[in-house]
Amino acid sequence: MQTFNLPDHTKIELQNHIKKNIRKYYKGLKNGSLKYDFFVTTLLTKNPKPSWLQDYPRLEKNQKFKNHLIEYTTKEITRYIELEEENKYKHTYKTAVLCKDQEIEKVIPLYIKEKHELKKILSQNGYTLCIPIKFLSHTESNYLKNYILYGYPIPLEWSKILNYIKKV
């Protein structure tokens, strides 16, 4: 069972629980003294069990789910390491020349037409935004549209966007 088969509130609980533990054991995961598979196994067998695991006890033994969590943890640690290096670079060198040359992944904002389209889709399906629309990126908007219109599952790393909408 992979995470997109889980209900939305469970995905959010799972993501928050994993991120909290990643931050707690980041140093060991980063330097390799704590292996990813042991980390995930410990998360799934730790007592007291988190509420998302109490609701779905079969996940503790499911190997596909463990592999998915190991892959997710690997991606998150890699992303944290990249952010750490980028922040170290920005902190060390604060000259305008170095900042201009540095490649920064740009967040693509929504165009006015896309904002109106998203607002229309949300209102027609009984949803409202909990945050101002100007803070949504193009990718987040696409995930929300697909989730609302077609029922496509939102990937675990993007499940935070479910907090951006609420049912009216």
Side-chain angles (χ1 to χ4, degrees):
M1 172 181 242
Q2 295 208 349
T3 55
F4 48 81
N5 295 338
L6 297 172
D8 298 334
H9 64 88
T10 306
K11 283 186 204 176
I12 293 172
E13 286 179 28
L14 171 65
Q15 183 186 28
N16 291 339
H17 181 73
I18 291 174
K19 284 194 173 196
K20 181 179 103 180
N21 282 293
I22 285 175
R23 287 191 294 269
K24 187 174 181 182
Y25 298 107
Y26 174 69
K27 188 175 181 181
L29 289 166
K30 178 184 168 188
N31 67 21
S33 63
L34 179 60
K35 303 294 181 202
Y36 297 130
D37 56 346
F38 183 75
F39 172 73
V40 169
T41 304
T42 305
L43 277 180
L44 295 175
T45 58
K46 189 164 79 170
N47 283 326
K49 296 195 183 304
S51 61
W52 60 269
L53 193 55
Q54 289 174 357
D55 296 341
Y56 298 95
R58 293 179 289 131
L59 294 178
E60 189 174 339
K61 305 285 187 223
N62 192 329
Q63 190 59 40
K64 284 185 180 179
F65 183 71
K66 283 183 184 179
N67 292 339
H68 183 71
L69 290 183
I70 290 169
E71 180 183 322
Y72 174 71
T73 305
T74 306
K75 285 180 186 176
E76 285 297 307
I77 292 296
T78 305
R79 189 174 66 84
Y80 284 169
I81 291 170
E82 288 172 358
L83 283 173
E84 190 176 59
E85 289 299 317
E86 181 181 320
N87 288 338
K88 187 186 307 180
Y89 179 77
K90 284 182 180 177
H91 181 71
T92 307
Y93 305 102
K94 290 189 176 182
T95 62
V97 175
L98 291 175
C99 290
K100 287 180 184 174
D101 291 341
Q102 186 180 15
E103 291 281 331
I104 298 175
E105 184 179 323
K106 294 183 179 177
V107 176
I108 302 171
L110 289 175
Y111 296 112
I112 294 173
K113 182 179 179 183
E114 293 171 328
K115 289 179 183 179
H116 290 300
E117 182 183 331
L118 180 63
K119 284 182 182 179
K120 184 178 175 184
I121 289 171
L122 288 170
S123 65
Q124 287 176 346
N125 292 292
Y127 288 95
T128 60
L129 277 174
C130 299
I131 64 169
I133 199 163
K134 68 180 180 180
F135 295 120
L136 283 179
S137 70
H138 184 71
T139 308
E140 292 170 335
S141 171
N142 286 338
Y143 278 130
L144 283 175
K145 286 177 193 174
N146 290 332
Y147 173 75
I148 292 169
L149 292 177
Y150 309 114
Y152 291 157
I154 295 175
L156 182 63
E157 54 270 8
W158 288 95
S159 62
K160 67 177 182 178
I161 64 174
L162 292 173
N163 293 328
Y164 298 170
I165 58 172
K166 67 177 177 181
K167 198 81 161 157
V168 179

